[in-house]
Amino acid sequence: MGMSANCEAPSFEMPRSVVKKVLAEAQQEGEGASVRRSIGRPELKNLDPFLMLDEFSVSAPAGFPDHPHRGFETVTYMLEGAFTHQDFSGHKSTIRAGDLQWMTAGRGVVHSEMPAAEGVQKGLQLWINLPSKDKMIEPRYQELQSKDIARAEKDGVEARIIAGEAFGVRSPAYTRTPTMYLDFTMQPGSQLHQPVPVSWNAFVYVIEGEGVFGETSASSHHVLVLSTGDGLSVWNRSDGPLRFVLVGGKQLDEPVVQYGPFVMNTQAEIQQTLEDYRNCRNGFEKARKWSS
C-alpha cells in the first residue's frame, strides 16, 4: 500500500456507484419536531441492516417524549445544539454537537429525547437492526464525546471516525452488527477514495454542500444508496465545503417485521412485544412506574 499515497486515485476493483438517490423531505414527528427521513420512507423501506435514518431539527418545547424500543439499536449523532436522553433504568445523559450516543435497546427501553439548549437542535438518528439472536439482550449504551471521536485528515478531507476505519485510523466503538459510520468534510477541490467492505450495504447522506459521488452529483438532504463494490470515490468540485456521512453495514439477511418502535423477525414476536409492553414485563417491567 505504501506507493498509493502519491497516486491520484487508488484503483478500486469494483468502484461503488449510486443506484438510488432520494431527497429526504421534512415531516412532523414526535411532539412538534421536524425530521427529514431518508431510509424508512416508502420508496426506501430499509437497507439491511439499516431500518431508518432521520435528520432531526427540534426547538424546545418540542421533542420526543417517553416512547419504547425493542429489537434494534439507535445511534444519535448531534450536529448542532444538545439533547438530553433519559430512560426508565435511571440512565440520563446530554449529548452536544459532535457527541454520539449508541443505544442498544435490545429487549426493551422506554426513554425520552428532549432538547437541552436554546434555539434549534439538529442531529442524525440511525436505526440499526439487531440479529435475531441479539434482539432480546439487555440494553446498553456507548456514549462518545466529540473530543473522543477519532479523527484523521488528509489532502483537504477531514474524517470523524464514529465506527470503522478511515485513513488508517480506527474507531473505539463496538458494533454488534458490523458497521462503519464516517463523517467527512471535504474542502473545495479535494477528493476522497474510501474503501468499503465489498459485500456490505452502504449509503451516503449529504449534510451540507454538494459533491460528486461515483458519477452522481448530489446536494444537502439526499440519501444515496450505493452499489456493491470495494470503495467509493467522491469529488468536491463546488466552491464550498461538502459534509456527508458514509455508512455501511453487514446484512443480516433475516426477515424484518416492524411495528413502529418495535422491530422483530415475525408477526408473532411483534404480538408478544405489544403484550409485554402493555403488561410491563419481559424487559418492560420498569415502565410501570416511570415517566421522564
Side-chain angles (χ1 to χ4, degrees), residues 266-280:
T266 66
Q267 198 56 53
E269 288 168 342
I270 289 288
Q271 281 309 120
Q272 181 65 52
T273 298
L274 289 168
E275 283 173 36
D276 289 347
Y277 180 55
R278 213 172 290 134
N279 299 311
C280 301

Side-chain angles (χ1 to χ4, degrees), residues 88-137:
F88 67 1
S89 297
H91 184 95
K92 183 173 181 178
S93 68
T94 299
I95 53 174
R96 300 174 195 286
D99 298 349
L100 179 93
Q101 183 199 68
W102 200 295
M103 178 179 90
T104 304
R107 56 187 303 178
V109 162
V110 178
H111 73 162
S112 66
E113 299 156 292
M114 300 299 282
E118 295 295 305
V120 181
Q121 332 299 314
K122 290 185 178 168
L124 298 176
Q125 189 172 84
L126 176 68
W127 288 12
I128 307 177
N129 204 2
L130 284 169
S132 55
K133 66 178 175 47
D134 289 339
K135 284 191 177 293
M136 294 295 283
I137 59 177

Side-chain angles (χ1 to χ4, degrees), residues 10 29 40 60 65 69 92 96 98 118 128 138 140 153 182 197 251 253 267 278 287:
E29 275 291 311
H69 292 293
K92 183 173 181 178
R96 300 174 195 286
E118 295 295 305
I128 307 177
E138 287 298 316
R140 59 178 297 226
E153 200 164 333
L182 307 171
Q251 291 92 302
D253 292 325
Q267 198 56 53
R278 213 172 290 134

